[in-house]
Amino acid sequence: ISKDLANVLNPITKGKPFVDLFCGACNVVEKITTASSRMANDNNPYLIALLKAIQNGYEPPTCVTREQYNYVMSHLDKNPALSGFVGIGCSFNGVWKSGYAGVIDKYHNFPKEAHNSLLRQKPKLGGVTFTSCDYNNASIPVGAVVYCDPPYKGVSNNYYVRKFDYDAFVEWVEANKGKHDIYISEY
């Protein structure tokens, strides 16, 4: 639904800073074209390392073996961008460290699909400022349009390394709705 969201958000964002507070795969921020600036935040530092590296010309591998997956997942800080790629692009359903999803057959090569997707996305990420922190610690310009797509209540409660506190998020929204124009995508 990112195209539909962009159709709503682009007119609202015109000339204002745009912040994607839970950016994930950056499918929304890549389509925001009218903002004065774009920021994408996620609390997974390996995802952000990967996105920054892609922005700077990094090309992830097209093949990752189960052994390579296991090694990278047990040595996350050795190469954070590679860890982000392997931990998401080579994991089931693109969910952080959800188990090895590699080459199944000639029609299903998950690392290659993730590689190709990131390279297609690269031109759309120009000028995006990436940050990695918890949503309530993000430095958001006053007056920004803030798009929030947090983990969905009752469906997935994974928020990188801990459970997502929905009540605290609602409190944060209430406390900040006067400073920012906040939009929440909820399942």
Side-chain angles (χ1 to χ4, degrees):
I1 64 170
S2 61
K3 289 179 185 175
D4 294 324
L5 289 168
N7 287 338
V8 171
L9 292 170
N10 269 315
I12 296 164
T13 305
K14 189 172 186 175
K16 297 179 185 174
F18 177 79
V19 177
D20 190 342
L21 209 46
F22 303 82
C23 72
C26 290
N27 291 319
V28 173
V29 73
E30 76 173 19
K31 292 175 182 70
I32 300 302
T33 59
T34 62
S36 61
S37 63
R38 297 180 301 161
M39 182 180 112
N41 178 73
D42 200 279
N43 78 334
N44 183 330
Y46 303 103
L47 169 63
I48 296 301
L50 170 62
L51 293 167
K52 285 180 178 180
I54 292 296
Q55 207 177 36
N56 292 316
Y58 172 68
E59 286 204 27
T62 57
C63 185
V64 173
T65 66
R66 181 179 303 280
E67 292 76 21
Q68 290 168 322
Y69 178 91
N70 291 334
Y71 178 82
V72 171
M73 292 298 89
S74 62
H75 297 88
L76 293 173
D77 293 325
K78 186 172 182 180
N79 182 337
L82 179 62
S83 297
F85 177 75
V86 171
I88 297 168
C90 303
S91 292
F92 286 112
N93 297 321
V95 176
W96 177 248
K97 292 177 74 172
S98 62
Y100 175 69
V103 180
I104 295 174
D105 56 36
K106 66 180 181 178
Y107 303 107
H108 300 91
N109 179 334
F110 293 104
K112 186 173 184 178
E113 291 171 20
H115 168 274
N116 292 343
S117 177
L118 285 163
L119 293 186
R120 278 191 307 273
Q121 189 177 40
K122 179 185 174 189
K124 301 172 189 172
L125 299 178
V128 174
T129 300
F130 289 104
T131 60
S132 180
C133 62
D134 202 50
Y135 69 90
N136 57 357
N137 293 323
S139 180
I140 303 170
V142 174
V145 174
V146 179
Y147 173 71
C148 302
D149 187 6
Y152 301 141
K153 192 171 189 174
V155 175
S156 170
N157 200 0
N158 295 332
Y159 189 55
Y160 180 51
V161 294
R162 62 178 169 73
K163 285 192 168 246
F164 185 73
D165 187 338
Y166 295 98
D167 294 332
F169 175 66
V170 170
E171 288 176 20
W172 178 88
V173 170
E174 288 297 322
N176 286 280
K177 66 184 182 183
K179 299 178 205 169
H180 315 298
D181 195 0
I182 303 173
Y183 295 85
I184 303 168
S185 180
E186 182 57 55
Y187 184 76

